[in-house]
Amino acid sequence: MSDQSIMKGTTILAVLDERGVTLAGDGQVTLGQSVVVKHGARKVRRLYKNRIVAGFAGSTADAFTLFERFESKLEQYKGNLSRAAVELAKEWRTDKYLRRLEAMLLASDGRQILMLSGTGDVIEPDDGLAAIGSGGPFALAAARALARHAKLSSRETAEAAMRIAAEICVFTNDNLVIETLQAE
């Protein structure tokens, strides 16, 4: 499969504060390096009885596969985010098929953010901010600046940071899907 046939290009951002978390994702899907094939993809979703929010980035088919596996782990471990993430990471590292997936996940239960990487790592950010995808570094930098210098809610921070990323990254658009989850 040539690089031109791989669908990718996205930005997912998570912003956690004392009230909960906001996950934002853009809607762009890019074919190769130059063709936008979709503007309104939904890459951020609620899972497990609406108690978990998650967003994915990477090759589309791989991301959907990973998302489905994560959902089944959440069901298996009754919504325990940490346990489901660690068990998925274990499976990711040992399963020959999963090891080839080119995708990442950001997930939160409103109290913590976890990033599941393509190498099977589970990472919890120190500052309550995390981003994945091609526009992730732009969104993360903007969110950090906003979090330090503006008194905004997690939703306002996420939305503003995503709009900044969309102005800079050619693989990010401003057709946003935003989900906010209150801390329980």
Side-chain angles (χ1 to χ4, degrees):
M1 188 179 286
S2 73
D3 186 48
Q4 277 296 94
S5 64
I6 297 173
M7 289 189 181
K8 58 184 176 182
T10 197
T11 304
I12 305 294
L13 173 67
V15 178
L16 181 71
D17 64 18
E18 65 280 347
R19 293 179 299 270
V21 70
T22 297
L23 231 70
D26 77 315
Q28 185 165 305
V29 177
T30 307
L31 184 63
Q33 295 295 315
S34 60
V35 179
V36 176
V37 294
K38 187 167 181 150
H39 299 281
R42 186 171 180 84
K43 304 170 210 169
V44 173
R45 299 184 179 157
R46 288 180 177 263
L47 305 173
Y48 193 74
K49 303 174 186 174
N50 292 321
R51 293 183 6 211
I52 306 288
V53 289
F56 61 86
S59 176
T60 306
D62 290 353
F64 279 121
T65 299
L66 185 59
F67 217 59
E68 288 170 5
R69 297 276 180 121
F70 184 57
E71 282 184 291
S72 78
K73 292 294 181 192
L74 285 169
E75 289 294 329
Q76 182 179 353
Y77 296 106
K78 298 177 178 43
N80 182 323
L81 177 64
S82 296
R83 179 78 189 272
V86 167
E87 293 301 323
L88 178 62
K90 285 181 190 177
E91 191 175 306
W92 201 339
R93 287 182 179 193
T94 59
D95 184 284
K96 286 183 181 183
Y97 173 73
L98 287 180
R99 275 187 286 181
R100 293 193 175 121
L101 294 181
E102 295 179 17
M104 294 182 77
L105 279 177
L106 273 182
S108 179
D109 58 5
R111 295 181 308 267
Q112 65 179 335
I113 298 169
L114 297 178
M115 181 187 317
L116 287 80
S117 76
T119 57
D121 294 320
V122 177
I123 302 161
E124 183 174 9
D126 293 334
D127 60 0
L129 302 168
I132 58 175
S134 51
F138 303 111
L140 183 60
R144 283 197 174 131
L146 290 164
R148 289 183 183 144
H149 302 292
K151 296 200 183 304
L152 302 173
S153 69
S154 66
R155 183 180 178 94
E156 291 167 327
T157 299
E159 185 171 355
M162 289 293 290
R163 294 207 185 282
I164 291 167
E167 291 175 8
I168 299 168
C169 179
V170 297
F171 296 108
T172 304
N173 70 15
D174 62 358
N175 187 358
L176 306 177
V177 171
I178 301 173
E179 292 284 350
T180 300
L181 186 64
Q182 300 301 313
E184 291 181 12

